[in-house]
Amino acid sequence: MHVTSLLIFAAALFVAAGSPGPSIAALVARVISKGFRDVFPFLLAMWIGEGIWLSLAVFGLAVVAQTFHFAFVLVKWVGVAYLAYLAWKMWTAPVEAREGEMPREDSAVRLFFAGMAVTLGNPKIMMFYLALLPTIIDLASVSLVGWVELTATMAVVLVAIDLAWVLAAAQARKLLKSKRAMKIANRVSAGTMAGAAAAIAARS
């Protein structure tokens, strides 16, 4: 693909992905509450999920998404339910911490599932790839090599944005040393996570 096309795509994705939304809110809440060490399965699932949406758009499978709309709606509500569950766990999490560590994190599989559900069920992401992307890139002319170039560009932009959010949240978490601060962090994170669930549920 032409470099200009890739730069336009990268700029549009940077604006869309960099703006706070349900996925970013869930990511930040998780890092503040639990730290960054266990968040990478969640991040990996987010990146794979966006890659799936990009592939659907590039290979002209928007029709599939419309035909099997119920499946995507189901994924959306599974993601909402799981985010609500995580919010409840954070709200009720114990504030006892040994050796400066937060309470035990969820399993990598469950975090991966949560990240995938949030990404595949996020209408903002779906609309970017299936509605906005065709106005930026001539998808009919994208070859297999072009798809690889778009995917690589997407990965660079998303990794940069998401790791920047993780770093910012991790720095904020260093300030949380006392039991009171940890309790407040859990409650704030729970509220943010619940807000992310509500944001996804409210979008059609």
Side-chain angles (χ1 to χ4, degrees):
M1 291 189 61
H2 198 278
V3 175
T4 302
S5 298
L6 292 176
L7 290 176
I8 293 174
F9 167 66
L13 180 60
F14 183 85
V15 172
S19 59
S23 298
I24 295 298
L27 175 63
V28 170
R30 184 71 192 183
V31 174
I32 290 178
S33 178
K34 302 291 187 179
F36 69 90
R37 295 183 183 279
D38 69 326
V39 81
F40 291 103
F42 189 89
L43 280 173
L44 180 62
M46 287 173 58
W47 299 334
I48 292 176
E50 296 226 17
I52 290 174
W53 282 122
L54 174 63
S55 300
L56 286 174
V58 168
F59 295 115
L61 296 181
V63 176
V64 175
Q66 295 172 355
T67 303
F68 297 98
H69 179 67
F70 175 76
F72 290 101
V73 171
L74 179 61
V75 169
K76 166 186 172 178
W77 287 106
V78 168
V80 169
Y82 192 70
L83 283 177
Y85 167 72
L86 288 180
W88 175 78
K89 283 195 65 177
M90 289 179 181
W91 187 272
T92 59
V95 295
E96 295 290 340
R98 297 181 179 178
E99 299 179 357
E101 295 182 354
M102 291 289 185
R104 176 179 294 182
E105 64 273 8
D106 289 340
S107 70
V109 174
R110 295 174 69 180
L111 284 172
F112 183 88
F113 169 77
M116 188 66 72
V118 167
T119 304
L120 293 181
N122 189 341
K124 172 187 172 183
I125 297 175
M126 176 170 40
M127 291 303 295
F128 175 81
Y129 288 108
L130 299 185
L132 181 59
L133 182 61
T135 68
I136 302 173
I137 301 293
D138 182 11
L139 297 180
S141 63
V142 176
S143 64
L144 182 60
V145 175
W147 169 76
V148 172
E149 292 172 340
L150 283 171
T151 302
T153 302
M154 177 206 73
V156 170
V157 172
L158 293 180
V159 168
I161 290 175
D162 292 337
L163 290 185
W165 279 108
V166 168
L167 179 61
Q171 291 300 315
R173 185 177 184 268
K174 288 182 179 180
L175 302 175
L176 307 176
K177 300 297 184 181
S178 67
K179 291 182 179 179
R180 177 179 173 79
M182 290 175 62
K183 184 174 183 179
I184 292 174
N186 284 341
R187 296 295 172 84
V188 171
S189 298
T192 306
M193 193 73 78
I200 296 177
R203 293 182 178 182
S204 58

